[in-house]
Amino acid sequence: MSRENFSNAAWPSRLYSGAWLLYAGYYICRKDQGSAVGPTASHMAAELVCFGIAYAIAQFVGGELADRFSARRVALAGAVLSIVCTVLLAIASPHMILFLQFGNGFGQGFGWPALLQLFGRWFGRGERDHVLGWWSISYILGGVLASSLTMWLTARTGVAAHSGFEPAYLVSAGVLLLAALLFYFITRGLPETQAVEATQKECDSNSSQGWFRVLGDRNIRYISAMYFFLKMTRYTLLFWLPRYLVSGGGYTSWSAAHIASSFEILGIAGPVAIGYIVERWFRDRYMQVGAIMLYALAFVCLVHPLLAGTGTFGMVVSVSLMGMLIHGSDLLMSGMAVLDTMPSQVHGRSIGFVNGIGSIGQAISPLLATLFVAHYGWSRLFDLFVFFAIVSGVICTLGARSQTGKPSPVNRSALKLSGIPL
């Protein structure tokens, strides 16, 4: 690799655009499972559990591989596995679906730790938060697009009605394939290997030492604990909100889909705003900001029955506020806080650990939602979200009280060598 390529200031913007496209494609192959699965709640729950278990395992594995080898290749490998499994899901027999969802979840789990590790290397502390805020639009819109494609194919074609064939999966796989190819060519030549070697000169990257460093950090333990409950809430709403609106709210499937989309579309404002807010006013005070947002989420969930009872407008307002607070606190704690807390040598492992713990909550959420609704009904589901939000907020409050206030050291020599602006 030439020295000129090493100092190329265009690499951060190229990485951003490539990662934006790739993770949007990732999410299209993730969210379609919640739209194109079988008609019963138990069938849907079983698939989501298989996906979630594999996704959690892959977070740990992908974080390790991203730190020790090439994060770019890890992200591409996960995309390839997800593409293959999604294509096969279109024609899979019933007894193969759970196996393929497990494979799809494993491939999907490589994307987040690998791409966040690249962002940690190529963007400095003074700009990374608002960059991640804007980047989050990729996976939020990717989820909306997946649902829209599935609805369109179901409404406009008769193919989905044929036994054993789901065209939505083929479309999703095609979109991710295109995104992966664009990411490959946009980031080809990224001087990633040299940056890794430079950071390893200052910190032993031995696998066991790296994990001990992650597990030994008090802030990471607090973030992981709160994220378990936050991600459980987020994915319950992400996949079960349309069912709640139909079964518990009396809306038609078409109206429910449009109302549910406000959770993601209007929820975009949350992470974008929090990126600027933290950078400008709350640098290194992630726990305090996270606690405020989570207590606000608990209040919104508490008054949700009142807002929903006023009609469609009140329902949209409530769902949108939940989307803003959940997506904002999600990216704040699982992305921004982790990257700023830990040194770059273990960014992949620390991101993978936090999201792996959170993904265990994600895997549990379908079973929890099914059992809770069966015993207490849809109207009480938001009481459960109030509890989760309060628990997460308390954990953040405890974490804020234990913080030393000293930011983690930044490996400036590696950043300078990589051409990253300081």
Side-chain angles (χ1 to χ4, degrees), residues 93-340:
S93 58
H95 65 277
M96 287 294 294
I97 289 178
L98 296 182
F99 174 77
L100 291 174
Q101 286 289 18
F102 189 92
N104 186 28
F106 196 82
Q108 287 280 323
F110 279 16
W112 184 262
L115 293 177
L116 266 290
Q117 194 256 28
L118 289 172
F119 275 104
R121 291 192 182 278
W122 285 96
F123 293 93
R125 284 171 61 92
E127 63 178 345
R128 187 162 56 212
D129 292 342
H130 80 263
V131 168
L132 285 174
W134 284 105
W135 177 71
S136 69
I137 296 175
S138 64
Y139 58 85
I140 296 174
L141 290 183
V144 175
L145 181 58
S147 299
S148 300
L149 285 173
T150 302
M151 287 178 58
W152 184 88
L153 286 169
T154 302
R156 302 295 180 182
T157 69
V159 183
H162 295 175
S163 177
F165 184 61
E166 285 280 4
Y169 287 123
L170 295 181
V171 176
S172 301
V175 173
L176 179 54
L177 175 60
L178 177 60
L181 290 173
L182 290 171
F183 176 80
Y184 172 82
F185 288 109
I186 290 173
T187 61
R188 185 169 57 178
L190 182 74
E192 181 188 4
T193 304
Q194 289 88 341
V196 173
E197 292 173 352
T199 59
Q200 286 175 341
K201 292 179 182 179
E202 298 185 13
C203 179
D204 189 349
S205 65
N206 178 270
S207 177
S208 60
Q209 290 187 17
W211 281 112
F212 280 131
R213 187 163 190 173
V214 172
L215 295 173
D217 190 276
R218 182 184 300 174
N219 289 329
I220 292 297
R221 295 198 296 270
Y222 277 116
I223 295 171
S224 302
M226 64 77 56
Y227 198 52
F228 174 87
F229 295 97
L230 178 61
K231 198 162 189 178
M232 195 183 303
T233 303
R234 179 187 166 198
Y235 271 80
T236 301
L237 285 169
L238 196 64
F239 288 115
W240 295 84
L241 189 55
R243 285 183 180 269
Y244 155 73
L245 292 169
V246 172
S247 302
Y251 292 91
T252 65
S253 297
W254 187 259
S255 297
H258 282 81
I259 295 173
S261 67
S262 63
F263 176 78
E264 295 173 281
I265 295 176
L266 297 180
I268 288 173
V272 172
I274 204 64
Y276 288 102
I277 290 171
V278 168
E279 280 187 1
R280 185 164 184 176
W281 293 297
F282 296 98
R283 170 58 58 193
D284 298 319
R285 295 169 63 187
Y286 298 101
M287 291 292 186
Q288 292 92 327
V289 179
I292 292 171
M293 296 182 70
L294 290 164
Y295 291 140
L297 174 63
F299 177 77
V300 173
C301 292
L302 182 64
V303 301
H304 170 76
L306 297 177
L307 291 172
T310 63
T312 301
F313 179 77
M315 180 71 78
V316 171
V317 169
S318 179
V319 169
S320 299
L321 288 173
M322 289 181 205
M324 294 176 193
L325 292 167
I326 289 176
H327 285 106
S329 56
D330 185 288
L331 184 63
L332 171 71
M333 301 306 299
S334 70
M336 300 171 186
V338 176
L339 291 178
D340 280 4

Side-chain angles (χ1 to χ4, degrees), residues 336-360:
M336 300 171 186
V338 176
L339 291 178
D340 280 4
T341 296
M342 303 300 293
S344 61
Q345 295 87 353
V346 291
H347 272 170
R349 276 167 278 201
S350 54
I351 289 287
F353 177 78
V354 168
N355 282 272
I357 298 299
S359 297
I360 295 174

